[in-house]
Amino acid sequence: MRLLLSPSQVVRKLLFSFCAAGIIAAVSLNTALAHPRHQHDDAQASASLRLSEADQLRLNELTAQLNNNPENAQAAVAFARFAATQARRLGDTMLLRRAAEILAPWESVENPPISVLLVRANIKQIDHRFDAALNDLNQAIRRNPVNPQARLSRAFILSTIGDADSAAADCAALRANISIYIRETCRARVNGLVGAIDEADARMEALLGVVQPASPAERLFALSIAADIAERQGAIVAAEVHYKEMLSIDDVSVYARAAYANFLVTQDRLAEARDTIGDAPHTEALLLLRVLAADHTSDAVAKSAARELSLRMAVDRAEGDFSHAREYARFALDHMNDAVLALEMAQENWQVQKEPVDARILVRSAMAAHTPSIIDEMRIWVAKTGLQDYSLDILLIEDGLENTGKIQDKTHAHASVIE
């Protein structure tokens, strides 16, 4: 039996809601999960998390092969794929930028190799350039409709931007000879967004409990989706089991650290969250978590993180860059107590990303800013998509009860005047 959140726990949880799927930026058939990067991360990228000796040797080998034949697409793809995988795993923005630079010569090629399109799309997806990534993936699928990597990557982008029906079609197009872990996880993620979350949960639990993955990366991929589904059902024990296993598979992974640390923050287990974050790189998501997990008596690390996040937000707003608007909205609402700024950032984020975590921060910001029209629009969205999310449901119920109470108060006051 699963232990579910009580309504009072949900109220506390909503102060920090930041589901694991919100941190996922890309996924591949042979790698783990992606993490967003940003131009002004570079000075602080992976200060302490370095490549292992084996991975450094592999990177050196790929670099040598590329240097010997810099115009060879196969060598460029091999380097870029490995560099991007390690960059997102370690939160190393400079390594990710290097991967993008290696593929830059093929940007002007009308029909580059499909392998170039796939890795390039993955890098653009990590960078939240979803339209550009979709352009590459669409081209790859036109040329090879059964390419599993293209279908999987496109399914994840489409579900992220709110087109679950098209994402479902891509998941369905994955051929039977593709790993069952990949097929079932793709399907479960989509089903969890369109009113079939119980089915998605049951299938993921069966998959994780019975089927052996082809690689640790496949297991990590599936666990991330299963944990998100469990959290959205309010099943806190099951979610934590999945998060802990993710860390046991790869305790260096920035994504695994951030996902579990965020879960701990939502449970008000702040000291554990701080320990989990440790000295991980200063990405926007981890800076936010450092702030929200602060020991308010004296936390120099959290104060430094807040200053850095404030600076990044100011720069991004000035430049019109809203790739981290989700984190900025939550920072403005839960740390700065600025509902107007939070709503601005949440609306900018909703223009691009429409996952459950994005819906929650938009509703919370609208409630704080007393903007009921946005909440009404979200109710329409939920009804249209069939989205199931325990925390979002509680928010919408709370808002409805609050508005009902105000209406009743006004009606009573009006009746008193008449009398």
Short mmCIF file of all heavy atoms in Angstrom, two decimals, residues 125-165:
data_model
loop_
_atom_site.label_atom_id
_atom_site.label_comp_id
_atom_site.label_asym_id
_atom_site.label_seq_id
_atom_site.Cartn_x
_atom_site.Cartn_y
_atom_site.Cartn_z
N GLN A 125 17.71 20.83 -27.53
CA GLN A 125 16.69 20.53 -26.55
C GLN A 125 17.18 20.84 -25.14
O GLN A 125 16.45 21.42 -24.33
CB GLN A 125 16.31 19.05 -26.66
CG GLN A 125 15.19 18.61 -25.72
CD GLN A 125 14.89 17.14 -25.87
OE1 GLN A 125 15.56 16.44 -26.64
NE2 GLN A 125 13.90 16.65 -25.15
N ILE A 126 18.42 20.47 -24.84
CA ILE A 126 19.00 20.79 -23.54
C ILE A 126 19.00 22.30 -23.32
O ILE A 126 18.77 22.78 -22.21
CB ILE A 126 20.44 20.23 -23.46
CG1 ILE A 126 20.43 18.71 -23.50
CG2 ILE A 126 21.14 20.70 -22.17
CD1 ILE A 126 21.80 18.09 -23.66
N ASP A 127 19.22 23.04 -24.39
CA ASP A 127 19.29 24.49 -24.34
C ASP A 127 17.91 25.14 -24.37
O ASP A 127 17.79 26.37 -24.47
CB ASP A 127 20.13 25.00 -25.52
CG ASP A 127 20.75 26.35 -25.26
OD1 ASP A 127 20.91 26.72 -24.08
OD2 ASP A 127 21.06 27.05 -26.24
N HIS A 128 16.85 24.32 -24.33
CA HIS A 128 15.46 24.78 -24.36
C HIS A 128 15.09 25.46 -25.68
O HIS A 128 14.13 26.22 -25.73
CB HIS A 128 15.17 25.73 -23.19
CG HIS A 128 15.12 25.04 -21.87
ND1 HIS A 128 14.63 25.64 -20.74
CD2 HIS A 128 15.50 23.80 -21.49
CE1 HIS A 128 14.71 24.81 -19.72
NE2 HIS A 128 15.24 23.68 -20.16
N ARG A 129 15.83 25.19 -26.73
CA ARG A 129 15.46 25.69 -28.06
C ARG A 129 14.62 24.60 -28.73
O ARG A 129 15.06 23.93 -29.66
CB ARG A 129 16.71 26.04 -28.86
CG ARG A 129 17.47 27.24 -28.31
CD ARG A 129 18.66 27.59 -29.16
NE ARG A 129 19.74 26.63 -28.99
CZ ARG A 129 20.60 26.30 -29.95
NH1 ARG A 129 20.49 26.82 -31.16
NH2 ARG A 129 21.58 25.44 -29.70
N PHE A 130 13.40 24.48 -28.24
CA PHE A 130 12.56 23.36 -28.64
C PHE A 130 12.16 23.42 -30.11
O PHE A 130 12.13 22.39 -30.79
CB PHE A 130 11.32 23.30 -27.76
CG PHE A 130 11.62 23.07 -26.30
CD1 PHE A 130 11.07 23.87 -25.32
CD2 PHE A 130 12.45 22.03 -25.91
CE1 PHE A 130 11.34 23.66 -23.99
CE2 PHE A 130 12.74 21.80 -24.57
CZ PHE A 130 12.18 22.63 -23.61
N ASP A 131 11.84 24.60 -30.62
CA ASP A 131 11.46 24.71 -32.03
C ASP A 131 12.60 24.29 -32.94
O ASP A 131 12.40 23.57 -33.93
CB ASP A 131 11.02 26.14 -32.36
CG ASP A 131 9.67 26.49 -31.75
OD1 ASP A 131 8.94 25.55 -31.36
OD2 ASP A 131 9.35 27.69 -31.66
N ALA A 132 13.80 24.75 -32.62
CA ALA A 132 14.96 24.39 -33.43
C ALA A 132 15.24 22.89 -33.35
O ALA A 132 15.58 22.25 -34.36
CB ALA A 132 16.18 25.18 -32.99
N ALA A 133 15.09 22.32 -32.16
CA ALA A 133 15.29 20.89 -32.00
C ALA A 133 14.25 20.11 -32.81
O ALA A 133 14.57 19.11 -33.46
CB ALA A 133 15.21 20.51 -30.53
N LEU A 134 13.00 20.57 -32.77
CA LEU A 134 11.95 19.89 -33.53
C LEU A 134 12.20 19.96 -35.02
O LEU A 134 11.91 19.00 -35.76
CB LEU A 134 10.58 20.50 -33.20
CG LEU A 134 9.99 20.12 -31.84
CD1 LEU A 134 8.72 20.92 -31.56
CD2 LEU A 134 9.70 18.62 -31.77
N ASN A 135 12.75 21.06 -35.50
CA ASN A 135 13.07 21.16 -36.92
C ASN A 135 14.04 20.05 -37.33
O ASN A 135 13.87 19.42 -38.38
CB ASN A 135 13.66 22.53 -37.25
CG ASN A 135 12.62 23.64 -37.23
OD1 ASN A 135 11.43 23.37 -37.39
ND2 ASN A 135 13.07 24.87 -37.02
N ASP A 136 15.07 19.84 -36.53
CA ASP A 136 16.04 18.79 -36.83
C ASP A 136 15.40 17.41 -36.76
O ASP A 136 15.64 16.54 -37.61
CB ASP A 136 17.23 18.87 -35.88
CG ASP A 136 18.21 19.98 -36.23
OD1 ASP A 136 18.16 20.47 -37.38
OD2 ASP A 136 19.02 20.35 -35.36
N LEU A 137 14.59 17.18 -35.73
CA LEU A 137 13.97 15.87 -35.56
C LEU A 137 12.95 15.60 -36.65
O LEU A 137 12.83 14.46 -37.15
CB LEU A 137 13.32 15.78 -34.18
CG LEU A 137 14.30 15.81 -33.01
CD1 LEU A 137 13.56 15.93 -31.68
CD2 LEU A 137 15.19 14.57 -33.01
N ASN A 138 12.20 16.63 -37.04
CA ASN A 138 11.22 16.45 -38.12
C ASN A 138 11.92 16.04 -39.41
O ASN A 138 11.44 15.18 -40.16
CB ASN A 138 10.43 17.74 -38.34
CG ASN A 138 9.48 18.05 -37.19
OD1 ASN A 138 9.14 17.16 -36.40
ND2 ASN A 138 9.06 19.30 -37.08
N GLN A 139 13.05 16.67 -39.68
CA GLN A 139 13.81 16.32 -40.88
C GLN A 139 14.31 14.88 -40.80
O GLN A 139 14.24 14.12 -41.77
CB GLN A 139 14.98 17.27 -41.08
CG GLN A 139 15.78 16.98 -42.35
CD GLN A 139 16.96 17.92 -42.54
OE1 GLN A 139 17.10 18.91 -41.84
NE2 GLN A 139 17.83 17.60 -43.48
N ALA A 140 14.81 14.50 -39.64
CA ALA A 140 15.30 13.14 -39.48
C ALA A 140 14.19 12.11 -39.68
O ALA A 140 14.39 11.07 -40.32
CB ALA A 140 15.92 12.98 -38.09
N ILE A 141 13.00 12.41 -39.16
CA ILE A 141 11.88 11.47 -39.28
C ILE A 141 11.34 11.43 -40.70
O ILE A 141 10.92 10.37 -41.18
CB ILE A 141 10.79 11.83 -38.25
CG1 ILE A 141 11.31 11.53 -36.83
CG2 ILE A 141 9.49 11.06 -38.52
CD1 ILE A 141 10.43 12.05 -35.72
N ARG A 142 11.36 12.55 -41.40
CA ARG A 142 10.95 12.53 -42.81
C ARG A 142 11.86 11.61 -43.62
O ARG A 142 11.41 10.88 -44.50
CB ARG A 142 10.99 13.94 -43.40
CG ARG A 142 9.81 14.82 -43.02
CD ARG A 142 9.72 16.04 -43.92
NE ARG A 142 10.91 16.88 -43.83
CZ ARG A 142 11.07 17.88 -42.97
NH1 ARG A 142 10.11 18.16 -42.10
NH2 ARG A 142 12.18 18.60 -42.97
N ARG A 143 13.12 11.61 -43.29
CA ARG A 143 14.08 10.80 -44.04
C ARG A 143 14.13 9.36 -43.56
O ARG A 143 14.48 8.45 -44.32
CB ARG A 143 15.47 11.45 -43.94
CG ARG A 143 15.53 12.78 -44.69
CD ARG A 143 16.74 13.62 -44.31
NE ARG A 143 18.01 12.91 -44.49
CZ ARG A 143 19.19 13.41 -44.14
NH1 ARG A 143 19.27 14.62 -43.58
NH2 ARG A 143 20.29 12.72 -44.34
N ASN A 144 13.77 9.13 -42.29
CA ASN A 144 13.76 7.78 -41.74
C ASN A 144 12.65 7.69 -40.69
O ASN A 144 12.89 7.90 -39.49
CB ASN A 144 15.11 7.43 -41.12
CG ASN A 144 15.14 6.01 -40.58
OD1 ASN A 144 14.19 5.24 -40.74
ND2 ASN A 144 16.23 5.64 -39.92
N PRO A 145 11.41 7.41 -41.12
CA PRO A 145 10.26 7.45 -40.22
C PRO A 145 10.33 6.50 -39.03
O PRO A 145 9.62 6.69 -38.05
CB PRO A 145 9.08 7.08 -41.14
CG PRO A 145 9.55 7.42 -42.51
CD PRO A 145 11.03 7.13 -42.51
N VAL A 146 11.16 5.46 -39.11
CA VAL A 146 11.20 4.49 -38.00
C VAL A 146 12.42 4.68 -37.11
O VAL A 146 12.71 3.84 -36.26
CB VAL A 146 11.18 3.04 -38.54
CG1 VAL A 146 9.88 2.77 -39.27
CG2 VAL A 146 12.38 2.77 -39.45
N ASN A 147 13.13 5.79 -37.27
CA ASN A 147 14.31 6.02 -36.43
C ASN A 147 13.88 6.17 -34.97
O ASN A 147 13.15 7.11 -34.63
CB ASN A 147 15.05 7.29 -36.88
CG ASN A 147 16.35 7.49 -36.12
OD1 ASN A 147 16.36 7.84 -34.95
ND2 ASN A 147 17.46 7.24 -36.81
N PRO A 148 14.28 5.26 -34.10
CA PRO A 148 13.77 5.28 -32.71
C PRO A 148 14.25 6.48 -31.91
O PRO A 148 13.50 7.03 -31.10
CB PRO A 148 14.29 3.96 -32.13
CG PRO A 148 15.49 3.63 -32.96
CD PRO A 148 15.20 4.13 -34.33
N GLN A 149 15.51 6.89 -32.10
CA GLN A 149 16.00 8.03 -31.34
C GLN A 149 15.25 9.30 -31.69
O GLN A 149 14.90 10.10 -30.81
CB GLN A 149 17.49 8.23 -31.59
CG GLN A 149 18.09 9.39 -30.80
CD GLN A 149 17.99 9.19 -29.31
OE1 GLN A 149 18.66 8.34 -28.76
NE2 GLN A 149 17.14 9.97 -28.64
N ALA A 150 14.97 9.49 -32.97
CA ALA A 150 14.24 10.68 -33.41
C ALA A 150 12.83 10.68 -32.84
O ALA A 150 12.33 11.70 -32.36
CB ALA A 150 14.21 10.74 -34.93
N ARG A 151 12.17 9.52 -32.88
CA ARG A 151 10.80 9.42 -32.36
C ARG A 151 10.77 9.67 -30.85
O ARG A 151 9.90 10.38 -30.33
CB ARG A 151 10.23 8.04 -32.67
CG ARG A 151 9.92 7.81 -34.14
CD ARG A 151 8.66 8.54 -34.56
NE ARG A 151 8.29 8.22 -35.94
CZ ARG A 151 7.21 8.68 -36.55
NH1 ARG A 151 6.39 9.50 -35.90
NH2 ARG A 151 6.95 8.35 -37.79
N LEU A 152 11.69 9.07 -30.13
CA LEU A 152 11.72 9.23 -28.67
C LEU A 152 12.00 10.68 -28.29
O LEU A 152 11.30 11.25 -27.44
CB LEU A 152 12.77 8.32 -28.07
CG LEU A 152 12.91 8.39 -26.54
CD1 LEU A 152 11.67 7.84 -25.87
CD2 LEU A 152 14.15 7.63 -26.08
N SER A 153 13.00 11.27 -28.91
CA SER A 153 13.35 12.66 -28.58
C SER A 153 12.20 13.60 -28.91
O SER A 153 11.88 14.51 -28.13
CB SER A 153 14.60 13.09 -29.34
OG SER A 153 15.73 12.34 -28.93
N ARG A 154 11.56 13.38 -30.06
CA ARG A 154 10.44 14.25 -30.42
C ARG A 154 9.26 14.07 -29.48
O ARG A 154 8.58 15.04 -29.12
CB ARG A 154 10.01 14.00 -31.87
CG ARG A 154 9.07 15.08 -32.39
CD ARG A 154 8.85 15.02 -33.88
NE ARG A 154 8.00 13.89 -34.27
CZ ARG A 154 7.52 13.71 -35.49
NH1 ARG A 154 7.84 14.57 -36.47
NH2 ARG A 154 6.77 12.66 -35.77
N ALA A 155 9.02 12.83 -29.05
CA ALA A 155 7.93 12.58 -28.11
C ALA A 155 8.13 13.36 -26.82
O ALA A 155 7.19 13.94 -26.26
CB ALA A 155 7.82 11.09 -27.81
N PHE A 156 9.37 13.42 -26.35
CA PHE A 156 9.62 14.12 -25.09
C PHE A 156 9.50 15.63 -25.24
O PHE A 156 9.00 16.31 -24.35
CB PHE A 156 10.98 13.71 -24.52
CG PHE A 156 10.87 12.55 -23.58
CD1 PHE A 156 10.52 11.29 -24.06
CD2 PHE A 156 11.05 12.71 -22.23
CE1 PHE A 156 10.38 10.22 -23.20
CE2 PHE A 156 10.91 11.65 -21.35
CZ PHE A 156 10.58 10.39 -21.84
N ILE A 157 9.93 16.15 -26.36
CA ILE A 157 9.76 17.59 -26.57
C ILE A 157 8.28 17.93 -26.70
O ILE A 157 7.79 18.89 -26.09
CB ILE A 157 10.53 18.05 -27.82
CG1 ILE A 157 12.03 17.90 -27.62
CG2 ILE A 157 10.20 19.51 -28.13
CD1 ILE A 157 12.85 18.29 -28.83
N LEU A 158 7.55 17.15 -27.49
CA LEU A 158 6.13 17.43 -27.71
C LEU A 158 5.34 17.36 -26.40
O LEU A 158 4.47 18.20 -26.15
CB LEU A 158 5.57 16.44 -28.73
CG LEU A 158 6.06 16.63 -30.17
CD1 LEU A 158 5.62 15.46 -31.04
CD2 LEU A 158 5.56 17.96 -30.75
N SER A 159 5.64 16.40 -25.56
CA SER A 159 4.93 16.32 -24.28
C SER A 159 5.33 17.47 -23.36
O SER A 159 4.53 17.96 -22.57
CB SER A 159 5.19 14.97 -23.60
OG SER A 159 6.57 14.75 -23.40
N THR A 160 6.56 17.94 -23.47
CA THR A 160 7.01 19.07 -22.67
C THR A 160 6.28 20.35 -23.05
O THR A 160 5.95 21.17 -22.19
CB THR A 160 8.53 19.27 -22.83
OG1 THR A 160 9.20 18.13 -22.31
CG2 THR A 160 9.01 20.52 -22.09
N ILE A 161 6.03 20.54 -24.34
CA ILE A 161 5.38 21.78 -24.80
C ILE A 161 3.87 21.66 -24.84
O ILE A 161 3.18 22.59 -25.27
CB ILE A 161 5.92 22.21 -26.17
CG1 ILE A 161 5.55 21.21 -27.26
CG2 ILE A 161 7.42 22.43 -26.11
CD1 ILE A 161 5.98 21.63 -28.66
N GLY A 162 3.33 20.52 -24.39
CA GLY A 162 1.88 20.41 -24.23
C GLY A 162 1.15 19.70 -25.34
O GLY A 162 -0.08 19.70 -25.37
N ASP A 163 1.85 19.07 -26.27
CA ASP A 163 1.21 18.35 -27.37
C ASP A 163 1.31 16.85 -27.10
O ASP A 163 2.03 16.12 -27.77
CB ASP A 163 1.87 18.72 -28.69
CG ASP A 163 1.10 18.19 -29.91
OD1 ASP A 163 0.11 17.45 -29.71
OD2 ASP A 163 1.51 18.49 -31.05
N ALA A 164 0.54 16.40 -26.13
CA ALA A 164 0.63 15.00 -25.70
C ALA A 164 0.11 14.04 -26.75
O ALA A 164 0.61 12.91 -26.86
CB ALA A 164 -0.13 14.81 -24.39
N ASP A 165 -0.87 14.44 -27.52
CA ASP A 165 -1.42 13.54 -28.54
C ASP A 165 -0.37 13.20 -29.59
O ASP A 165 -0.21 12.03 -29.98
CB ASP A 165 -2.64 14.18 -29.20
CG ASP A 165 -3.84 14.25 -28.27
OD1 ASP A 165 -3.87 13.48 -27.28
OD2 ASP A 165 -4.73 15.09 -28.51
#
